[in-house]
Amino acid sequence: MSTPPVPATEATDRAARRAVTVFPLLVVAAAVVGLVTPGTFAGWTVSVPYLLGVVMFAMGLTMTPKDFEGVARRPWAVGLGLVAHYVIMPGLGWLIANALHLPPQLAAGVILVGCAPSGTSSNVVTYLARGDVALSVSVATVSTVLAPLVTPPLTLLLAGEFLPVDAGAMVTDILKTVLLPVLAGLALRLLAGKLVDRVLGVLPWLSAVTIAAIVTIVVAGSATAIKSAALLVFVAVVLHNGLGLALGYGAGKLARLGRPASRAMAFEVGMQNSGLAAALATAHFSPLAALPAAVFSVWHNISGALVAAWMSHRSRRAEAPARAA
């Protein structure tokens, strides 16, 4: 879910919490619709890349040159975040696929989720967790820009043993559905900033509805296989996301980045752009391979909100004695 930079105001805090709370519910409802009435969405698979383009265009509209300036100010921390993201999550995807003996389509789907860039809702979850939002935005921005160069070869390397992977075609698809829409959104923000500022509050909801539509289409396309595979996919997704959050936080702590930056690292590693993973899986593998991405889209927002609430609570408890003194 694309989210604008968030100033520390009570009104923004309420809006951010509302968005993070409602989004998973919306996606769950979308999944149920796709499962109950799969025939309604027959033939809609071709629209998934275009829907993802809408999400990425909205993400580009929220960006400013300051997002890239943050990379220059903290290259070590941003570089660590990128390496952690593109090493931990793909590696975990491969390990989980093998440990659970997933069927080839599901294994490729789980690995593809791991090879995707940072999740588009990681920034607002970092904010709710009282983490380093500037670092979160920088890592998410650069991981998205680098996705055409990183995601296809990683997918070929790790998922190639399960299914044939056309890395060249995947590069082209990511350029068309991710990078170009993001750059177009950024350009429009630079050219018509005041106009875009008026609609920033709508963009998270536009992205949420669009991702929900992607989930509906993906679930409808694999509805017949979900009854037998749903539990296995859910276990894989929970392990993937949970270990990613923990290892991301641990990487920040080992690098001595401090608690706020470590929290940002947790969400930048553990939360994935599952919309991109679903689109790529649908286009290059099958709707069944896109099922892990659809489940991840729901679960990582639920777990992210819960972990953020726990981290925020810990911060408030730690600050209480200082305020009392």
Side-chain angles (χ1 to χ4, degrees), residues 84-171:
H85 179 86
Y86 279 121
V87 170
I88 291 173
M89 290 305 281
L92 284 174
W94 183 86
L95 288 172
I96 291 168
N98 281 278
L100 297 180
H101 303 291
L102 296 178
Q105 296 286 345
L106 294 179
V110 168
I111 291 170
L112 184 52
V113 170
C115 296
S118 296
T120 51
S121 58
S122 57
N123 302 158
V124 72
V125 174
T126 298
Y127 165 70
L128 294 176
R130 297 192 170 193
D132 189 331
V133 177
L135 176 60
S136 175
V137 170
S138 295
V139 173
T141 299
V142 179
S143 72
T144 300
V145 171
L146 292 180
L149 300 176
V150 180
T151 298
L154 275 177
T155 305
L156 175 62
L157 175 66
L158 298 174
E161 67 180 88
F162 297 100
L163 292 175
V165 178
D166 188 341
M170 198 173 285
V171 169

Side-chain angles (χ1 to χ4, degrees), residues 120-320:
T120 51
S121 58
S122 57
N123 302 158
V124 72
V125 174
T126 298
Y127 165 70
L128 294 176
R130 297 192 170 193
D132 189 331
V133 177
L135 176 60
S136 175
V137 170
S138 295
V139 173
T141 299
V142 179
S143 72
T144 300
V145 171
L146 292 180
L149 300 176
V150 180
T151 298
L154 275 177
T155 305
L156 175 62
L157 175 66
L158 298 174
E161 67 180 88
F162 297 100
L163 292 175
V165 178
D166 188 341
M170 198 173 285
V171 169
T172 302
D173 283 350
I174 297 176
L175 287 173
K176 291 190 298 185
T177 61
V178 176
L179 194 58
L180 289 181
V182 167
L183 293 177
L186 176 60
L188 182 59
R189 178 76 182 272
L190 293 174
L191 294 173
K194 292 183 178 179
L195 179 63
V196 173
D197 286 343
R198 296 177 183 175
V199 299
L200 280 179
V202 178
L203 295 181
W205 301 105
L206 171 64
S207 297
V209 171
T210 307
I211 290 176
I214 292 174
V215 170
T216 300
I217 295 168
V218 168
V219 170
S222 56
T224 55
I226 286 178
K227 291 181 180 179
S228 61
L231 180 60
L232 189 60
V233 171
F234 182 71
V235 170
V237 165
V238 171
L239 286 173
H240 202 181
N241 170 245
L243 290 171
L245 291 171
L247 292 176
Y249 185 84
K253 294 293 286 184
L254 284 174
R256 299 182 178 180
L257 295 182
R259 185 171 295 172
S262 296
R263 291 176 178 178
M265 288 279 288
F267 299 116
E268 289 310 316
V269 171
M271 300 184 73
Q272 301 293 94
N273 189 332
S274 47
L276 172 61
L280 292 176
T282 301
H284 295 272
F285 301 138
S286 69
L288 179 60
L291 183 58
V295 176
F296 203 100
S297 182
V298 179
W299 178 252
H300 80 154
N301 284 284
I302 295 173
S303 66
L306 292 173
V307 172
W310 176 68
M311 287 180 171
S312 178
H313 176 69
R314 288 193 64 187
S315 289
R316 289 189 174 92
R317 286 189 61 183
E319 294 168 2

